Amino acid sequence: MTDVHTPADLPTKLQHYIDGEFVDSIEGGTFDVLDPVSNQTYVQAASGTEADVDRAVAAAKRAFDEGPWPRMLPRERSRVLHRIADIVESRDARLAELEAFDSGLPITQALGQARRAAENFRFFADLIVAQVDNAFKVPGRQMNYVNRKPIGVAGLITPWNVPFMQESWKLAPAIATGNTVVMKPASYTPLSAVLWPEIFREAGLPDGVFNLIFGSGGVAGDHLVRHPDVPIISFTGDSSTGATISTAAAPQFKSLSLELGGKSPAVVFADADLEAALDATVFGVFSLNGERCTAGSRVLVERSIYDDFVAKFAQRAKNIVVGLPGDPSTEVGALVHPNHFEKVMSYIEIGKGEGRLLAGGGRPEGFPTGNYVAPTVFADVAPEARIFQEEIFGPVVAITPFDTEEEALALANDTKYGLAAYVWTSDLRRAHNFAQAIESGMVWLNSNNVRDLRTPFGGVKASGLGREGGYRSVDFYTTQQSVQITLGTAHTPAFGKQLPPVEQDLDDPDPR
């Protein structure tokens, strides 16, 4: 294996960005950031404390209360977002280079994520101009309409897988709708986040609208969630952390969007296009190094084609090119961090006692160091197995046979998760009915994970709370105020109004 390629002009340190300035932590704390190929420290990042979060939130609140951004016309904000998209698009190669180095993603896939980030900004730039709100008329009596207003400071807590794109997914709708933000990236992958300040400055985003805090989830993230001046929290990450955030935010009735873990099924029926299903299911679990929440990590295959499918799937897994993240030929790179590498490897050891190992099962040949895991395939996995039930978040797949459509549905729904699902069949009626019955927030029929940005994104059960994407993002980052106007005479009961006295017959002992 050749030496890891280190991008030119790496920063010497990573600082917070608050109110238009790069700043160190108030207490001076830092943490080490490792590159996933060598596991050596390549930079130190500022480690945010409660005081740093307070400072960032104060800047964001001041920008919201006093600054121009929330009061600008949607068209004016749209122009800024389009400039952001243009800048991101023009720097996609540099973004991909840094992302691949920092996260271990193959550079060709990182490049696609950079371009998707640009598209996220362009999409919401167009959407806020085209946004319409309801009006309700009662002719001659009443006119009712809806005002949509930004809420305030949004706390955005982003994950370490495809970090730059995930950040854009939250940043674009939050600022498009007029909010200000404090963003805390994952501590494993902070590098690409430091590119946002320069991009936003060049695009003309006012100071204080975007603020960046580095640090641990237990300190910086927790304080951001609990801060009384942060009414909106959007979090992407694991389900246990999501549960903690939900509990912490509940007493203040914050708006929450939680996109959490997944153990998504890919169901392949015997009448499916086998080659297309193989393409999609192999890509669906091994792309992005398997570190994707929507990975189809449980492949359920009808028994009549099971043996043929499993053999071809395993052969494809063995043929996957594992390599340096910066090599354009690489299909699977290095996992993000040694801690995560150890977690994935521990599940592989568990899997050796729960299924039939057909490919992988450890380090790939030629990579004795770094966070490399060979694409791993287990067949004949029972539904009670841990590798069937628990999210591994790496290049590991469990394949299980089924005999009937009813059994396939039971297996598909037999986890605590419910984020995505994939169904392969040529029977149109079955496809739609099966999709309806699957307990997941999203279903792809005869497709891999190709998503229209207008559609809602989110899960059910332990996979999350709320929806973002398209108008659902606009709903989440705004408050809707209804205004009622009386056009005619208001007909209101006159409670308490004094009436003329009623004459009574004094000779009547019971005047009623």
Side-chain angles (χ1 to χ4, degrees):
M1 183 181 72
T2 59
D3 291 337
V4 59
H5 169 65
T6 302
D9 302 321
L10 283 176
T12 56
K13 63 178 179 178
L14 305 182
Q15 296 175 289
H16 310 306
Y17 183 75
I18 301 174
D19 205 13
E21 296 183 351
F22 286 102
V23 295
D24 292 326
S25 292
I26 291 173
E27 298 179 5
T30 62
F31 64 91
D32 294 339
V33 184
L34 313 180
D35 90 73
V37 171
S38 72
N39 282 330
Q40 299 297 309
T41 299
Y42 74 88
V43 74
Q44 290 192 322
S47 184
T49 64
E50 292 185 0
D52 299 301
V53 172
D54 288 342
R55 183 180 178 186
V57 172
K61 189 174 189 303
R62 189 164 52 250
F64 184 80
D65 292 341
E66 305 170 14
W69 188 252
R71 282 155 280 279
M72 290 170 64
L73 294 173
R75 174 63 70 186
E76 294 175 308
R77 292 201 299 269
S78 175
R79 291 190 182 104
V80 175
L81 264 71
H82 272 297
R83 287 197 291 269
I84 293 170
D86 291 340
I87 295 167
V88 170
E89 206 165 55
S90 70
R91 299 176 188 174
D92 57 1
R94 176 63 171 172
L95 287 167
E97 182 184 36
L98 295 182
E99 195 88 310
F101 173 77
D102 192 35
S103 70
L105 287 176
I107 193 165
T108 53
Q109 296 170 42
L111 182 61
Q113 297 300 317
R115 291 170 179 167
R116 184 70 162 188
E119 186 60 26
N120 283 334
F121 276 93
R122 206 174 304 287
F123 174 82
F124 285 104
D126 291 337
L127 189 62
I128 57 168
V129 175
Q131 173 72 41
V132 294
D133 289 308
N134 294 324
F136 309 91
K137 300 176 183 179
V138 183
R141 294 186 179 183
Q142 196 176 53
M143 172 71 178
N144 312 286
Y145 65 91
V146 175
N147 274 335
R148 198 178 283 272
K149 302 188 291 185
I151 298 174
V153 179
L156 311 180
I157 303 176
T158 57
W160 46 255
N161 64 317
V162 291
F164 192 81
M165 192 283 291
Q166 293 269 16
E167 289 155 10
S168 75
W169 168 241
K170 299 180 187 296
L171 284 167
I175 65 175
T177 48
N179 299 284
T180 59
V181 305
V182 176
M183 185 177 81
K184 195 207 84 65
S187 56
Y188 283 176
T189 54
L191 181 60
S192 59
V194 299
L195 299 175
W196 288 117
E198 181 183 349
I199 292 169
F200 289 152
R201 278 176 177 171
E202 188 173 331
L205 190 72
D207 290 345
V209 174
F210 169 77
N211 302 274
L212 174 65
I213 290 288
F214 296 114
S216 72
V219 178
D222 181 72
H223 192 56
L224 183 60
V225 168
R226 297 176 187 274
H227 201 291
D229 291 332
V230 182
I232 318 166
I233 297 293
S234 178
F235 168 80
T236 299
D238 68 88
S239 298
S240 60
T241 304
T244 301
I245 288 174
S246 181
T247 301
Q252 297 182 51
F253 305 103
K254 297 184 183 233
S255 296
L256 278 183
S257 176
L258 304 176
E259 195 265 283
L260 308 176
K263 193 70 177 177
S264 301
V267 184
V268 183
F269 288 95
D271 63 351
D273 180 331
L274 185 60
E275 288 303 310
L278 281 164
D279 288 342
T281 52
V282 171
F283 179 83
V285 71
F286 296 127
S287 59
L288 305 181
N289 298 344
E291 297 166 325
R292 58 186 306 166
C293 53
T294 55
S297 54
R298 294 182 298 135
V299 180
L300 313 176
V301 184
E302 193 164 1
R303 195 176 300 274
S304 61
I305 62 167
Y306 181 77
D307 289 341
D308 185 33
F309 184 93
V310 165
K312 290 179 177 178
F313 193 104
Q315 187 57 52
R316 288 195 182 205
K318 294 174 183 177
N319 293 340
I320 287 173
V321 178
V322 179
L324 294 174
D327 186 339
S329 67
T330 294
E331 295 173 322
V332 167
L335 299 189
V336 67
H337 192 275
N339 290 346
H340 186 58
F341 169 81
E342 293 298 331
K343 173 194 169 184
V344 173
M345 292 295 281
S346 71
Y347 270 108
I348 289 174
E349 291 307 308
I350 291 169
K352 290 176 181 178
E354 294 184 331
R356 179 163 53 100
L357 179 64
L358 298 181
R363 283 187 174 276
E365 186 177 349
F367 292 88
T369 60
N371 306 322
Y372 283 96
V373 175
T376 298
V377 179
F378 289 104
D380 309 340
V381 179
E384 64 272 14
R386 288 184 64 185
I387 62 169
F388 186 97
Q389 292 288 339
E390 299 175 20
E391 184 178 42
I392 300 173
F393 218 65
V396 182
V397 65
I399 308 180
T400 301
F402 66 85
D403 290 298
T404 66
E405 190 171 320
E406 292 75 19
E407 183 186 7
L409 181 62
L411 289 169
N413 290 338
D414 187 21
T415 71
K416 68 178 182 179
Y417 298 104
L419 185 58
Y422 309 86
V423 181
W424 288 86
T425 178
S426 60
D427 185 330
L428 186 61
R429 180 182 299 175
R430 171 198 278 157
H432 288 291
N433 289 333
F434 202 88
Q436 175 76 19
I438 288 180
E439 296 168 354
S440 68
M442 299 168 287
V443 182
W444 278 267
L445 301 178
N446 297 323
S447 170
N448 65 7
N449 191 329
V450 178
R451 188 175 156 267
D452 187 321
L453 290 177
R454 295 171 295 180
T455 60
F457 188 101
V460 299
K461 300 193 289 190
S463 287
L465 173 71
R467 294 290 183 274
E468 295 188 51
Y471 285 121
R472 276 74 173 187
S473 290
V474 175
D475 287 341
F476 176 66
Y477 288 105
T478 59
T479 184
Q480 299 173 53
Q481 176 193 57
S482 60
V483 179
Q484 280 69 227
I485 307 162
T486 298
L487 300 177
T489 302
H491 301 286
T492 307
F495 278 25
K497 187 174 183 179
Q498 186 174 0
L499 300 174
V502 178
E503 294 184 4
Q504 298 180 3
D505 185 347
L506 299 181
D507 294 330
D508 185 348
D510 184 18
R512 283 182 289 181

